[in-house]
Amino acid sequence: MKPAVLVSRAIFPDIVDRLRVHFDVQDNPEDRVFKKAELIERLAGKQGVLATGSERFDAEVLDANPQLKAVCNMAVGYNNIDVDACNARGVLCTNTPDVLTETTADFGFALMMAAARRIAESEHYLRRGDWKKWSYDMFTGGDVHGATLGILGMGRIGQGIAKRGALGFGMKVIYHNRSRLAPAIEAECRASYVSKEALLRDADHLVIVVPYSPASHHAIGAAELAQMKRTATLTNIARGGVVDDAALAQALAERRIASAGLDVFEGEPALNPALLTVPNVVLTPHIASATIATRRAMANLAADNLIAALGFGPNAGHPPTPINAAALKG
Ligand code: GLV
């Protein structure tokens, strides 16, 4: 009998078919979002799950399903998985790094440019029928080329954004990260390490790419926003909760910073309603990795991980991108 697995949300049907070769698959083509009780119920008897960021795997879910061996996220971020709880129970977790780096860096750069050049705000003005005449100072924004790009969180995606800024737009790139990058990587990104205070003070365009954890919760709040230039932009493509959305909405309303670009939100898909009332913010629904090619690559990598984690396929026992490889040995 094939082992049973769950595919928690709708994904490309041909990639579900790849799983069917090895597994008895319960998929979710109707794309229901499972709350905890339903997730626990759907996981009954499953050895593995191809998951997304919209389900939370915590001790309660794991304890209700002690047969579960692998949680394979179709996302690079994995703050939806309690990795310590998985470690304690020998559950392997995987994510999808690398395949989305360039696509996500493209999007972060686009969102930053849209905020700086007021693209969404001016488009809304035009759609409302408010454009009656051209004027010299209409929707004047901040330059991107030659400006100082500040990056908080300098992992793979942060490095991709740094290269775009430095090499494509002649930007001065500064970054802050938990640990400083090796000199060769700094040189490749043309990026200088600075303190968080200097990053906030000097960035014309601040892009947040730091993973969410209790340590990065509200890394940007009222106090940090107060240190930024009044002309600065802030872009968040990391996770909701890294930025205090209420404090940001207030800073935008009071023009204490110029504008923002947000792809992720605290409590998404719900939004802090204040964000919908300020004009100087570009809002997108968590789509930074959303190109067909990249979403396929993510789904295929998550499937490769699940197949290998449960002991099938060419990488049997060695999923390509484990988060907690130690669980493999347990
Ligand atoms: C998307 O947010 C991801 O973590 O892949």
Side-chain angles (χ1 to χ4, degrees):
M1 213 170 68
K2 291 176 178 175
V5 300
L6 176 69
V7 176
S8 66
R9 295 289 305 278
I11 63 163
F12 303 94
D14 61 307
I15 299 177
V16 177
D17 288 343
R18 285 190 54 213
L19 295 172
R20 292 194 203 282
V21 173
H22 307 285
F23 306 123
D24 177 7
V25 179
Q26 182 180 8
D27 62 347
N28 180 9
E30 66 279 25
D31 205 27
R32 281 176 63 80
V33 178
F34 303 145
K35 296 235 167 59
K36 183 177 277 194
E38 191 173 1
L39 179 63
I40 288 177
E41 199 182 297
R42 298 258 178 163
L43 284 171
K46 309 293 189 306
Q47 292 193 21
V49 53
L50 194 154
T52 71
S54 50
E55 307 86 48
R56 178 145 182 80
F57 295 86
D58 58 14
E60 192 185 340
V61 170
L62 301 177
D63 285 342
N65 285 283
Q67 80 292 341
L68 191 67
K69 294 186 181 145
V71 177
C72 299
N73 236 21
M74 183 183 146
V76 64
Y78 50 86
N79 56 306
N80 60 315
I81 303 175
D82 182 338
V83 178
D84 290 341
C86 288
N87 281 335
R89 291 157 184 80
V91 176
L92 179 75
C93 318
T94 65
N95 66 341
T96 57
D98 302 320
V99 291
L100 49 59
T101 299
E102 299 303 327
T103 296
T104 305
D106 281 351
F107 190 87
F109 211 85
L111 203 51
M112 179 263 281
M113 290 196 76
R117 297 302 310 275
R118 306 176 66 180
I119 288 177
E121 193 182 349
S122 58
E123 201 221 6
H124 294 156
Y125 164 90
L126 192 148
R127 282 183 188 272
R128 280 195 309 270
D130 287 348
W131 190 24
K132 304 295 183 217
K133 64 176 173 39
W134 178 91
S135 59
Y136 79 97
D137 60 350
M138 207 174 165
F139 292 105
T140 46
D143 273 323
V144 170
H145 74 275
T148 297
L149 171 61
I151 302 178
L152 183 63
M154 197 63 155
R156 289 164 281 226
I157 297 168
Q159 291 169 34
I161 292 171
K163 286 179 202 156
R164 281 161 179 76
L167 306 175
F169 288 78
M171 299 178 88
K172 174 180 172 189
V173 181
I174 55 178
Y175 77 96
H176 184 73
N177 200 41
R178 237 180 353 181
S179 47
R180 188 170 174 170
L181 298 180
I185 302 180
E186 282 191 352
E188 204 185 319
C189 298
R190 300 212 190 1
S192 309
Y193 180 81
V194 295
S195 66
K196 188 172 170 190
E197 291 68 34
L199 185 82
L200 295 167
R201 185 190 63 219
D202 294 340
D204 294 310
H205 304 294
L206 179 63
V207 182
I208 315 295
V209 211
V210 72
Y212 180 82
S213 70
S216 65
H217 181 75
H218 286 188
I220 303 292
E224 289 74 20
L225 291 162
Q227 294 171 58
M228 293 175 66
K229 297 182 185 179
R230 291 189 88 89
T231 50
T233 73
L234 180 150
T235 297
N236 184 10
I237 57 163
R239 274 290 182 277
V242 175
V243 174
D244 177 342
D245 286 347
L248 176 61
Q250 197 173 344
L252 289 166
E254 293 168 5
R255 305 269 168 182
R256 283 190 276 109
I257 65 168
S259 57
L262 304 177
D263 187 48
V264 288
F265 305 89
E266 290 188 278
E268 66 185 48
L271 256 67
N272 185 314
L275 286 171
L276 295 171
T277 67
V278 285
N280 45 343
V281 61
V282 191
L283 306 167
T284 53
H286 205 146
I287 55 169
S289 64
T291 64
I292 300 279
T294 292
R295 285 284 160 86
R296 283 193 66 80
M298 292 165 69
N300 269 316
L301 180 52
D304 290 344
N305 276 317
L306 184 54
I307 291 166
L310 295 185
F312 295 90
N315 304 317
H318 300 281
T321 51
I323 295 164
N324 59 345
L328 276 172
K329 299 184 193 98

